[in-house]
Amino acid sequence: MNMNVETPKEPVDAMTFQLPEELQVKVKTRDVNVHYGEKQALFDINLDVPANHVVSLIGPSGCGKSTYLRCLNRMNDIIDIARVSGKIELDGLDIYDKNIDVVELRARVGMVFQKPNPFPKSIFDNVAYGPRIHGLADNKTELEEIVVTSLQKAGLFDEVKDRLKDSGTGLSGGQQQRLCIARAIATRPEVILMDEPASALDPIATAVIEELIDELRQNFTIIIVTHSMQQAARISQYTAFFHLGYLVEVGDTEQIFTNPVDRRTQDYITGRFG
Amino acid sequence: MFGSLLILLLILSVAGFYLGRRKAFVVAGGKRSQLHSRPLYHGLYVAALVGIPTLLLSLIWIFLQRPVIDALLLQSLDPKAIAGLSVSELSLLKSQIKSVAQGAIFGDPKPIVVEAAERLTHWRVIANWAMVATCIAIGLFVLIATRSKIARLFRARERVEHVLDLLMIAASVLAILTTFGIVVSLTIESLRFFDRVPFLEFVFGLNWEPQIPIREGQVTGGGAFGAIPVYVGTFLIALIAMLVAIPIGLMAAIYLSEYASKKMRAIVKPLLEILAGIPTVVYGFFAVLIVAPAMRSFGAMLGVEIAPNSALAAGAVMGIMLIPFISSFSDDAISAVPRSLREGAYGLGATKSETIIDVLLPAALPGIASGILLAVSRAIGETMIVVMAAGIIATLTFNPLSPVTTVTVQIVTLLIGDSEFDNPKTLAAFALGLTLFLLTLALNVLALRIVRKYREQYD
Ligand SMILES: Nc1ncnc2c1ncn2[C@@H]1O[C@H](COP(=O)(O)OP(=O)(O)O)[C@@H](O)[C@H]1O
Ligand SMILES: [Mg+2]
């Protein structure tokens, strides 16, 4: 990392960027700060995520991308020392409000993790798990239908249709990750958070997942953390660049990669640090 | 003598290590990368070849020395003097000679004995020195021979690995042989028992009264050896114990791994583990003096008659004793479930209890099962609590409120007193031991099967 980079003293206003008027804002973040104990991990984050688009979060490791992502489904609640302040709205609803049911929130905002983490259950039960705990199916046929369509949307069905009873952990890495995507889709979320979903996969499996993400955009809003700038360029319409806990710059993916405004963004995408 | 020999051999192999390593350095001529194996392995190779064979030789020598010398001693006695002596008289004479040789002289030993004792002492000294000399000579020879083999391309590393292989195999063979020996001796003694008591009576008999008359005219029971009541008692107490231990232990484990704060955990976990360190005698009198009377008066309030000795009191206290076995194993297993699985479940909107029941417990099942298995074996093998709280009378009953007894308790009562191993009463202990062994073995195999099947399905 280049140590000459000036650490930002004053929070940079990333809000100079305005989404086009006609886009519906799905997730709205205002002045979000996150502390892990004494240490502050995010500083005054402001970001609007449009519905049915893919937004990439990029930046050097440790800059707070995962932390931001985990604010959106309140996953940070599990971490004792994490404290979140500020306002995050999902369709205008404050998700940190006292009356919010976290269980319901997490059903609306699904998550796919960096390492594929299928449950030690059968492929079918993995996908059926969310619908079961949220009571989304009235009977067995309905449940089967949800499982099958979720697997189809995740592009996995043809590969596993003869062994739905086999263990989900017996699949290859790429298949496991698509299983996790199917599992997330099955609860019919509105937003899907993905934290470096392809970083543990080989190039072919990665290509399959990228294609999949592009299709999923029809029905879901997707926020994805990625280490690969090519990937961000390929799959996302908007890109946000994080640096040392600050959201430095947001914009059209093309603009960020061809004509970044901030020095730090420029340095990062030209590979000067990170 | 043997002790000093061991020290000498140790010194010799350490010397072999340094000499071998030095030689390797010299052979390499300053360029260590030219050696096939690092000097360390050359040294280890020499040390192993010097130490292990000589150690084995000295052990074999020690085992053979006594019978050989005994035989020689017998031959050297004047044939006329021992003519007409019976076998037991001969062995008496032999032990007389030995105690004289040791310097313990009672009364006025016969000249033939004194003479033989002197010979014996002499031979022993010779044998000991011969052993030391042989071992050291062989050790030195091996040291020089193997050291001269060290060369640049000598594959010492592979050979050391090979020696280690053999050592590991020897260790496991030793463990297996011990088990095998126990089973064989149990089986042989049990067969002697089944000579006297029919096998079918033992396995299917409903009456257990092992107190048979030892002296003539003694008034005792009839001597019935039907083991069913004893096994039913064992099963009943173990069942009660597990009914107490499994739910409490499992819930304690879940609390510790998922709910307790770090501080709380640091306090509660050691406290729970203290339970495992309390001697079982203490549990025994806790059961007799506190639990059983409390149960009796509680039962009296409900109008239920509870015997002073009851399976319930013994089983419940045993269950408390077994809580830490289950909680500790399960806590480790649950804590070892990767964080990513937890987050996967929470990320789907699962509640804490849903996550625990649907994801954590299944993933931790193999570890939990081994804890339960260990606890069951302890419950079946536990003796002291049962003697004190449940009794030693074998009655065939499934009623937890009445006194029962268990296999291990019966083994103890059968072997108390100094009767010889030639009557059904004492031999019955072996038959009980053998069946207990087979039962726990079957239990283990079964549980392993279940765990493996579950694992294949879900892992
Ligand atoms: N559970 C945690 N406890 C304490 N500090 C954390 C925790 N998770 C993340 N952090 C800290 O917060 C900062 C941002 O981390 P993270 O959001 O994981 O970065 P990124 O995903 O961009 O690599 C890092 O400095 C990291 O050390
Ligand atoms: Mg991260």
Side-chain angles (χ1 to χ4, degrees):
Chain A
M1 191 184 280
N2 185 344
M3 283 305 165
N4 294 331
V5 176
E6 52 177 305
T7 16
K9 304 283 184 319
E10 83 285 14
V12 178
D13 190 6
M15 289 311 295
T16 47
F17 170 76
Q18 287 291 327
L19 282 175
E21 284 285 318
E22 69 274 14
L23 288 186
Q24 176 209 343
V25 176
K26 187 76 187 174
V27 181
K28 192 180 198 174
T29 307
R30 288 292 175 269
D31 298 324
V32 164
N33 287 277
V34 179
H35 291 80
Y36 290 113
E38 293 294 295
K39 186 171 177 283
Q40 186 159 6
L42 285 181
F43 299 84
D44 294 322
I45 304 298
N46 287 292
L47 181 65
D48 287 347
V49 175
N52 296 96
H53 281 73
V54 179
V55 175
S56 310
L57 312 181
I58 61 169
S61 21
C63 68
K65 307 178 298 286
S66 300
T67 301
Y68 174 67
L69 209 61
R70 295 164 60 92
C71 289
L72 303 181
N73 63 348
R74 290 185 55 174
M75 210 57 165
N76 286 329
D77 291 13
I78 307 176
I79 299 172
D80 293 334
I81 56 169
R83 254 182 317 115
V84 180
S85 67
K87 195 166 197 176
I88 299 176
E89 289 180 358
L90 177 68
D91 282 338
L93 186 78
D94 180 0
I95 65 167
Y96 279 87
D97 190 87
K98 277 203 187 65
N99 298 322
I100 281 290
D101 179 2
V102 180
V103 165
E104 200 194 308
L105 171 73
R106 290 187 187 144
R108 291 178 63 188
V109 182
M111 191 162 197
V112 176
F113 298 82
Q114 178 169 5
K115 233 183 84 201
N117 57 351
F119 300 136
K121 296 175 185 289
S122 71
I123 293 172
F124 185 93
D125 287 337
N126 260 283
V127 183
Y129 187 66
R132 275 190 182 131
I133 58 176
H134 296 297
L136 298 183
D138 287 333
N139 52 47
K140 235 182 124 187
T141 17
E142 254 182 66
L143 186 66
E144 276 166 14
E145 208 180 294
I146 295 178
V147 170
V148 170
T149 48
S150 304
L151 283 169
Q152 277 168 343
K153 277 192 203 151
L156 187 61
F157 184 68
D158 289 337
E159 287 161 61
V160 301
K161 61 172 180 260
D162 300 323
R163 45 177 178 147
L164 292 176
K165 289 216 157 57
D166 290 6
S167 169
T169 48
L171 298 171
S172 76
Q175 289 174 324
Q176 286 191 11
Q177 195 61 302
R178 276 179 284 153
L179 178 63
C180 292
I181 293 176
R183 187 175 72 184
I185 295 172
T187 50
R188 300 197 195 127
E190 300 154 34
V191 181
I192 302 179
L193 312 173
M194 298 188 175
D195 195 347
E196 303 185 30
S199 66
L201 305 182
D202 61 75
I204 295 174
T206 303
V208 174
I209 301 257
E210 285 182 7
E211 212 170 294
L212 175 63
I213 290 171
D214 204 47
E215 279 165 32
L216 291 175
R217 182 159 69 89
Q218 317 293 326
N219 303 310
F220 309 96
T221 303
I222 295 173
I223 307 174
I224 179 169
V225 173
T226 173
H227 257 310
S228 150
M229 281 174 276
Q230 291 86 343
Q231 186 171 68
R234 280 193 298 265
I235 60 176
S236 64
Q237 290 77 52
Y238 296 99
T239 297
F241 172 65
F242 283 72
H243 188 237
L244 296 174
Y246 292 94
L247 175 51
V248 174
E249 188 168 353
V250 195
D252 279 351
T253 297
E254 211 186 307
Q255 176 254 312
I256 292 277
F257 284 109
T258 55
N259 189 20
V261 177
D262 195 284
R263 241 321 276 291
R264 289 163 290 179
T265 320
Q266 213 169 11
D267 285 349
Y268 183 69
I269 61 170
T270 54
R272 228 162 291 167
F273 65 87
Chain B
M1 200 72 193
F2 187 59
S4 5
L5 176 61
L6 286 187
I7 294 173
L8 275 176
L9 289 181
L10 185 70
I11 293 173
L12 202 60
S13 17
V14 170
F17 174 77
Y18 282 108
L19 289 174
R21 206 172 63 156
R22 256 265 298 288
K23 174 85 180 283
F25 276 123
V26 172
V27 166
K31 283 196 186 153
R32 265 203 265 171
S33 55
Q34 301 251 312
L35 287 173
H36 170 271
S37 311
R38 282 158 54 208
L40 169 78
Y41 287 108
H42 290 281
L44 284 177
Y45 177 64
V46 176
L49 245 57
V50 170
I52 296 172
T54 48
L55 179 69
L56 286 181
L57 177 68
S58 60
L59 283 176
I60 294 172
W61 191 298
I62 288 283
F63 275 112
L64 293 185
Q65 181 172 329
R66 176 189 293 252
V68 169
I69 288 185
D70 277 6
L72 283 177
L73 186 68
L74 221 60
Q75 265 174 19
S76 73
L77 291 177
D78 185 3
K80 270 176 259 156
I82 59 169
L85 288 184
S86 71
V87 177
S88 59
E89 279 168 328
L90 255 182
S91 86
L92 184 71
L93 187 69
K94 224 162 61 183
S95 52
Q96 227 172 10
I97 295 173
K98 280 183 183 168
S99 53
V100 171
Q102 236 132 50
I105 304 171
F106 297 106
D108 205 7
K110 280 182 273 178
I112 172 174
V113 171
V114 177
E115 207 178 284
E118 271 166 20
R119 254 198 320 270
L120 179 65
T121 318
H122 188 58
W123 283 347
R124 277 184 181 161
V125 172
I126 292 178
N128 281 338
W129 280 112
M131 173 176 74
V132 173
T134 322
C135 288
I136 298 288
I138 290 179
L140 276 173
F141 174 74
V142 172
L143 200 166
I144 293 164
T146 44
R147 184 172 171 273
S148 72
K149 271 209 291 191
I150 292 175
R152 209 179 291 164
L153 292 182
F154 182 65
R155 307 186 158 212
R157 169 163 36 87
E158 286 165 24
R159 303 207 176 194
V160 169
E161 284 300 311
H162 196 64
V163 169
L164 282 180
D165 267 8
L166 290 179
L167 281 182
M168 305 293 160
I169 292 173
S172 23
V173 165
L174 196 69
I176 294 169
L177 280 184
T178 313
T179 316
F180 188 72
I182 292 174
V183 174
V184 167
S185 68
L186 269 181
T187 312
I188 289 173
E189 300 295 334
S190 302
L191 286 179
R192 283 177 63 199
F193 171 74
F194 291 128
D195 271 351
R196 292 165 174 80
V197 176
F199 178 72
L200 290 179
E201 184 196 324
F202 178 75
V203 176
F204 295 114
L206 302 180
N207 203 2
W208 179 263
E209 282 171 29
Q211 301 306 331
I212 52 170
I214 301 169
R215 278 172 282 112
E216 248 174 84
Q218 195 179 11
V219 183
T220 60
F225 291 96
I228 293 273
V230 185
Y231 277 98
V232 168
T234 308
F235 170 76
L236 188 63
I237 289 189
L239 181 72
I240 295 169
M242 297 324 287
L243 284 180
V244 172
I246 291 179
I248 298 181
L250 209 52
M251 284 195 263
I254 292 172
Y255 169 73
L256 281 177
S257 63
E258 297 302 305
Y259 289 91
S261 66
K262 272 215 184 90
K263 230 194 220 160
M264 201 63 185
R265 187 186 157 90
I267 299 170
V268 173
K269 205 170 152 97
L271 277 182
L272 257 181
E273 270 152 21
I274 284 179
L275 284 181
I278 299 175
T280 53
V281 184
V282 177
Y283 280 108
F285 64 69
F286 175 62
V288 179
L289 298 181
I290 297 166
V291 177
M295 278 178 180
R296 261 167 80 80
S297 55
F298 184 68
M301 259 160 42
L302 299 177
V304 183
E305 169 91 27
I306 300 181
N309 278 335
S310 71
L312 188 61
V317 172
M318 201 189 285
I320 291 172
M321 177 184 84
L322 295 177
I323 287 172
F325 285 84
I326 292 177
S327 70
S328 186
F329 267 74
S330 310
D331 176 31
D332 290 346
I334 295 172
S335 302
V337 175
R339 221 180 83 147
S340 63
L341 274 187
R342 264 166 251 252
E343 296 198 327
Y346 287 128
L348 285 173
T351 63
K352 198 162 195 169
S353 55
E354 282 167 347
T355 304
I356 290 166
I357 293 170
D358 300 334
V359 176
L360 298 186
L361 289 185
L365 182 84
I368 295 173
S370 31
I372 291 178
L373 213 63
L374 189 68
V376 171
S377 323
R378 279 296 304 260
I380 289 176
E382 175 51 42
T383 313
M384 195 50 89
I385 296 177
V386 183
V387 175
M388 296 173 80
I392 57 169
I393 313 280
T395 35
L396 180 54
T397 173
F398 286 97
N399 178 5
L401 306 181
S402 55
V404 294
T405 190
T406 64
V407 176
T408 51
V409 170
Q410 283 314 302
I411 292 178
V412 172
T413 49
L414 290 173
L415 295 184
I416 283 175
D418 51 3
S419 53
E420 295 219 12
F421 287 110
D422 59 357
N423 61 58
K425 181 188 164 215
T426 38
L427 286 175
F430 289 100
L432 283 178
L434 183 66
T435 35
L436 187 66
F437 173 77
L438 292 179
L439 231 102
T440 39
L441 187 71
L443 203 72
N444 272 290
V445 172
L446 186 75
L448 276 181
R449 278 268 170 84
I450 293 172
V451 168
R452 194 173 308 147
K453 196 170 158 210
Y454 196 87
R455 256 191 177 161
E456 269 166 17
Q457 203 174 344
Y458 287 121
D459 197 42

